[in-house]
Amino acid sequence: MTIDTEHFRAELLEQRERLLGTIKHHDIGNSSLIEETGELMSSSSDNHLADTASETYERELDEGLEEDAKSQLRDVEAALERMDNGSYGTCAVCGKEIPLDRLEAVPWTTLCIDDARKQAR
Ligand SMILES: [Zn+2]
């Protein structure tokens, strides 16, 4: 395999932390949503000043996209599993290698660009 999996593993682990943080803020058994929202507001302005990219990303997720965060987390974890079993970087549909520039853009993808386009509506 020619893919630098350690590079992508680091990307995926970082992404997973980010998603877990987003999901945790929202999904706490719906018990103290107002409290959490207040905490989320203050922590996002206090703690992420240096990281505007991820803050923008989290703000987008905050706008009703929690389900997307969860499904993306599943994709990220599946990608980490594929790294462990050696199938990372190959298309789940046609089995061809996924181009590196696509993996750079979407490290958790399971599909080559052709199959991704076929699945998009
Ligand atoms: Zn394919």
Side-chain angles (χ1 to χ4, degrees), residues 55-73:
E55 200 192 338
T56 304
Y57 181 80
E58 283 175 5
R59 201 181 303 132
E60 284 170 7
L61 286 174
D62 287 345
E63 291 169 3
L65 294 175
E66 186 196 348
E67 281 308 310
D68 283 1
K70 282 181 179 171
S71 85
Q72 197 181 347
L73 179 65

Side-chain angles (χ1 to χ4, degrees), residues 5-89:
T5 51
E6 289 310 310
H7 165 73
F8 290 111
R9 189 190 298 274
E11 296 266 320
L12 288 165
L13 289 173
E14 193 185 312
Q15 186 71 17
R16 186 173 69 166
E17 286 304 307
R18 207 175 286 167
L19 290 166
L20 283 172
T22 301
I23 292 164
K24 208 166 118 190
H25 274 304
H26 290 266
D27 187 18
I28 49 163
N30 300 323
S31 53
S32 56
L33 192 61
I34 294 164
E35 213 178 291
E36 274 297 305
T37 306
E39 192 187 309
L40 180 65
M41 298 293 269
S42 61
S43 72
S44 65
S45 53
D46 291 347
N47 298 338
H48 300 295
L49 286 175
D51 194 355
T52 51
S54 91
E55 200 192 338
T56 304
Y57 181 80
E58 283 175 5
R59 201 181 303 132
E60 284 170 7
L61 286 174
D62 287 345
E63 291 169 3
L65 294 175
E66 186 196 348
E67 281 308 310
D68 283 1
K70 282 181 179 171
S71 85
Q72 197 181 347
L73 179 65
R74 282 192 290 272
D75 290 346
V76 167
E77 290 186 331
L80 288 164
E81 279 175 28
R82 291 201 304 279
M83 264 172 198
D84 290 336
N85 71 26
S87 62
Y88 181 76

Side-chain angles (χ1 to χ4, degrees), residues 90-96 98 110-116 118:
T90 56
C91 175
V93 173
C94 67
K96 285 183 201 156
I98 299 170
T110 61
L111 299 172
C112 68
I113 192 73
D114 289 340
D115 286 310
K118 281 178 206 163

